[in-house]
Amino acid sequence: MELNTFGAILGFAIEWEKRAAAFYEAGARNRPLSLFLELAQEARRRLRRLEQARQEGVAEMILEPIHGLDGEAYRLDFSPETEEAVLLQQARRLEETAARFYQDAASRMPIREVARLLQGLAQENVKRRERLDIGALTR
Amino acid sequence: MEYGTLRNYIGGAWVPSSSAEALEVHNPATGEVIARVPLSTPEEVHRAVAAAKEAFPEWRETPPAVRARYMFRLKALMEEHFEELARTVTTEHGKILDEARGEVRRAIENVEVAAGIPSLLMGYNAEDVASGIDEECVLQPLGVFCCVAPFNFPAMVPFWFLPYAVACGNTYIVKPSEVCPISQNRLFELLEAAEFPPGVVNLVNGSKGVVDALLSHPDVVGVSFVGSTPVGRYIYATAAAHGKRAQCQAGAKNALVVLPDAPLGPTVSAILTSAFGTAGQRCLAGALVLAVGEVYEPLKERLVEAASRLKVGNGLDETVQMGPVVSRKALERIHGYIEKGLEEGAVLLLDGRKVRVEGYPGGYFIGPTLFDRVRPEMTIAREEIFGPVLGLIPVADFEEALRIIEDLPYGNAASLFTSSGRYAREFKYRVRCGNIGINIGIAAPVATFPFAGMKRSFFGDLHGQGRDAIQFFTDRKVVITRWF
């Protein structure tokens, strides 16, 4: 799926955060994974920021076509129905892929405030990835 | 039918029209009927005017700070229903979701600006204009205003006027476009939810009969209009004949001048958005590209390549970059102009008539269309097509480009793409158009600025939005005081 409009990029990001939140929430279910719950809550907050950006950041004057961003490049299947080690591996890949997507999207976004948001989310993903290394499955 | 038969909002209540006449409203992406809009009667207009007139005295006495709070409530409701409003615009008009979101955003921005009415409505005074005499100027509302809205921005355009009119203390009647009336009807549900007192805001669906009844009604003090030049001229003349204020934004034929020093990548992107955004159905749409000197060949090549890649389809699909035009009639009119262009000798580089959108056989689709070797005297270079048809005119130099713009009957917008400050200054200084873009394809003024227009693109003096709107919707009263 080519992400060739402002709405397509933000729609993809919103769906991503929904899936990420659901993944972390399900991963934490029946397991005392406090970090996963934190990451899920953060994903919900990120989701709201993206929805707000889609609503408030749209500037009709500069809704120019966007090229070179394909959703397929960030396709990632993750399932919380697995053992903890694999779960952690999936979470790391999720954060790495998200960081890559937000970075790529920020560089193509013509609306500066929204580009800044995407850039910020990419940086958050890098830190989230680090937190998974440090205190991933602390109980 | 998804939305059923639309009703009028008069005196704080939704009332079905008594008219037996109605028009179908179509989803332009599918061709399906999605609503019926009644052609309301003059009696219904009279009832709306009576309700607005009755509401006026109490509303004008409501402190501006209190009136501002209605604006805050309205803004909150519009934010809450933002996506739904955008989807409604796309469904009835066809423009892509991003464009619909941009439209709803700009409607909200006007509500935000109007919420500043306690400051905007302040007059001015001077002490001692003569010995012991002071003078002040106050701004006062006038009464019942109305607007006649176009189809191309069905949510936004009435909000160039209504928030300001009402914030100033006037009462208001909207006649939405009969082609795209649904968004405005939905916005009136939000106005109702914001609990404006009955009669302060009213909506009467219909067509020319409603317009004529409003224009000839003695209790209507002013009208705002956005639409074509012939209708704008008619409304301006009729309103003036009946002693009303009028501001009529009319047609356009906007030129985009590209100098050889313009960076081609962003310039081409901006031209595409200008010419093909909202399927060319903007009064700010770029219709002619005046390519100066050696930029002509590379610009042509890049435009064809980029325009042919635009994805056409149902605007509700986020990956679509251009939606259908609003109606079958519009589609046929645009096809007619393409035929005319060919007859008059223009060269068709990209023929949008060939576009087919899979899964939407009944949609009113036409792809980006690009004519080359257009000459300024051709019909397609002079008349407003209001569709995704762009004409490319090679010109020798900057001065020739300016002459072509000056000779156009319209003066809505013009843009220059350049890296030269000197040419940019010359352009904005000399070009007789109301909205000038420098490296901007769609020179759309934000809510704090007037939406200007010159020549046959505007009839009147004060424009919509910003300070102009406050002036239009108020009278200045000068009070000179001496105390014995």
Side-chain angles (χ1 to χ4, degrees):
Chain A
M1 170 191 171
E2 199 187 350
L3 305 176
N4 52 1
T5 64
F6 171 83
I9 289 178
L10 287 174
F12 184 87
I14 286 166
E15 281 309 310
W16 180 280
E17 295 301 334
K18 278 184 193 166
R19 286 180 64 211
F23 167 76
Y24 284 122
E25 281 159 4
R29 202 169 296 140
N30 304 322
R31 298 187 184 102
L33 302 178
S34 58
L35 178 59
F36 269 38
L37 284 175
E38 277 173 33
L39 293 173
Q41 282 169 2
E42 285 172 18
R44 296 269 172 219
R45 275 200 297 275
R46 288 155 60 96
L47 170 64
R48 284 194 292 276
R49 286 163 68 194
L50 287 161
E51 284 174 338
Q52 192 178 7
R54 185 169 68 179
Q55 187 161 325
E56 294 180 359
V58 63
E60 198 207 356
M61 261 184 284
I62 45 175
L63 279 176
E64 288 158 9
I66 293 166
H67 302 294
L69 202 62
D70 190 337
E72 288 302 311
Y74 313 98
R75 177 187 280 277
L76 192 61
D77 294 318
F78 37 84
S79 162
E81 306 303 326
T82 185
E83 61 187 53
E84 283 181 14
V86 179
L87 197 63
L88 186 58
Q89 210 171 23
Q90 285 189 0
R92 286 179 181 133
R93 281 187 55 215
L94 186 156
E95 298 301 334
E96 285 161 8
T97 309
R100 187 162 54 84
F101 162 67
Y102 284 120
Q103 189 64 51
D104 294 347
S107 68
R108 288 166 176 80
M109 175 57 64
I111 299 166
R112 280 186 198 161
E113 306 87 78
V114 181
R116 269 200 297 274
L117 169 66
L118 299 176
Q119 185 75 49
L121 292 175
Q123 286 163 2
E124 282 179 23
N125 284 114
V126 171
K127 287 181 185 154
R128 282 156 67 93
R129 167 72 178 78
E130 287 168 5
R131 282 156 66 195
L132 282 162
D133 276 347
I134 297 162
L137 304 179
T138 49
R139 288 148 200 271
Chain B
M1 285 189 290
E2 208 177 327
Y3 297 91
T5 300
L6 303 177
R7 293 174 298 166
N8 296 327
Y9 186 73
I10 297 174
W14 288 99
V15 285
S17 171
S18 60
S19 172
E21 287 184 88
L23 298 175
E24 291 176 340
V25 181
H26 295 256
N27 177 340
T30 63
E32 290 166 356
V33 177
I34 52 172
R36 288 173 64 81
V37 59
L39 302 184
S40 301
T41 63
E43 290 70 33
E44 286 161 329
V45 172
H46 296 164
R47 276 202 290 279
V49 176
K53 187 183 178 188
E54 191 184 336
F56 175 62
E58 195 175 320
W59 183 245
R60 74 155 284 191
E61 289 173 8
T62 304
V66 176
R67 294 201 295 259
R69 285 180 203 126
Y70 286 90
M71 295 297 151
F72 289 125
R73 282 210 287 275
L74 178 60
K75 171 187 157 55
L77 285 160
M78 290 171 78
E79 296 285 6
E80 187 185 335
H81 296 276
F82 185 89
E83 274 296 301
E84 175 216 327
L85 286 168
R87 285 178 175 275
T88 305
V89 169
T90 294
T91 303
E92 70 172 336
H93 177 275
K95 65 178 68 177
I96 65 169
L97 264 178
D98 275 351
E99 290 161 349
R101 288 184 184 116
E103 174 177 351
V104 175
R105 188 80 254 145
R106 288 179 61 198
I108 293 173
E109 283 168 4
N110 280 284
V111 177
E112 290 168 341
V113 173
I117 199 66
S119 302
L120 295 169
L121 208 54
M122 288 169 75
Y124 49 94
N125 68 318
E127 290 181 333
D128 295 317
V129 293
S131 185
I133 297 177
D134 302 330
E135 190 162 329
E136 64 182 315
C137 177
V138 292
L139 276 59
Q140 294 190 330
L142 289 97
V144 181
F145 279 87
C146 68
C147 104
V148 178
F151 74 83
N152 62 336
F153 284 86
M156 178 188 74
V157 165
F159 278 66
W160 284 354
F161 315 114
L162 181 149
Y164 303 98
V166 168
C168 285
N170 303 287
T171 54
Y172 211 71
I173 301 168
V174 172
K175 200 295 280 178
S177 157
E178 64 272 31
V179 180
C180 297
I182 301 169
S183 318
Q184 205 51 222
N185 277 258
R186 181 68 188 109
L187 279 161
F188 263 73
E189 289 173 355
L190 301 184
L191 283 157
E192 182 189 30
E195 298 184 350
F196 281 84
V200 170
V201 289
N202 305 272
L203 175 143
V204 182
N205 289 294
S207 189
K208 186 172 183 292
V210 169
V211 176
D212 286 336
L214 286 166
L215 293 177
S216 59
H217 200 295
D219 291 330
V220 172
V221 296
V223 58
S224 302
F225 167 80
V226 177
S228 70
T229 292
V231 179
R233 187 185 282 122
Y234 168 78
I235 288 187
Y236 189 66
T238 311
H242 286 85
K244 301 182 195 315
R245 292 184 175 197
Q247 47 180 189
C248 300
Q249 310 265 170
K253 192 75 184 177
N254 306 315
L256 311 170
V257 179
V258 183
L259 296 186
D261 65 355
L264 270 191
T267 298
V268 167
S269 274
I271 292 172
L272 286 190
T273 310
S274 177
F276 304 126
T278 316
Q281 301 165 108
R282 281 192 185 106
C283 57
L284 293 174
L288 298 170
V289 170
L290 310 183
V292 176
E294 72 253 30
V295 80
Y296 165 67
E297 283 295 344
L299 178 65
K300 178 170 78 173
E301 198 176 301
R302 296 277 287 268
L303 277 175
V304 172
E305 193 271 330
S308 60
R309 279 200 291 152
L310 286 178
K311 184 177 174 185
V312 179
N314 184 344
L316 290 174
D317 174 348
E318 294 271 23
T319 65
V320 161
Q321 294 167 305
M322 195 179 107
V325 294
V326 74
S327 64
R328 182 160 301 286
K329 194 174 155 190
L331 187 66
E332 286 164 3
R333 194 194 66 245
I334 296 162
H335 281 205
Y337 272 111
I338 295 172
E339 285 298 327
K340 190 76 181 169
L342 289 168
E343 277 169 27
E344 291 184 349
V347 177
L348 197 49
L349 297 176
L350 204 57
D351 187 352
R353 295 173 300 178
K354 292 177 180 164
V355 160
R356 297 286 173 272
V357 178
E358 204 177 321
Y360 296 94
Y364 314 136
F365 293 102
I366 175 168
T369 298
L370 185 57
F371 272 112
D372 187 24
R373 296 290 161 185
V374 175
R375 291 190 308 276
E377 68 276 14
M378 287 180 176
T379 306
I380 57 167
R382 297 195 66 76
E383 294 186 9
E384 183 174 39
I385 299 174
F386 226 56
V389 180
L390 183 63
L392 187 55
I393 304 180
V395 295
D397 53 30
F398 181 71
E399 291 299 327
E400 186 183 353
L402 261 54
R403 275 196 301 277
I404 290 172
I405 295 173
E406 181 58 28
D407 285 346
L408 286 169
Y410 300 104
N412 210 40
S415 294
L416 176 71
F417 293 88
T418 183
S419 300
S420 160
R422 185 170 72 84
Y423 280 115
R425 196 213 177 249
E426 280 289 295
F427 192 80
K428 67 182 182 184
Y429 189 80
R430 290 168 57 187
V431 168
R432 279 204 303 147
C433 288
N435 307 289
I436 298 291
I438 303 295
N439 297 319
I440 290 283
I442 310 161
V446 298
T448 38
F449 287 83
F451 194 104
M454 295 178 181
K455 291 151 81 177
R456 281 189 224 165
S457 293
F458 182 72
F459 301 95
D461 48 3
L462 295 166
H463 301 271
Q465 299 194 141
R467 284 184 218 160
D468 268 33
I470 303 299
Q471 297 259 309
F472 184 75
F473 291 117
T474 55
D475 250 342
R476 264 67 61 203
K477 181 184 280 180
V478 174
V479 181
I480 304 168
T481 306
R482 176 173 63 168
W483 290 99
F484 297 113

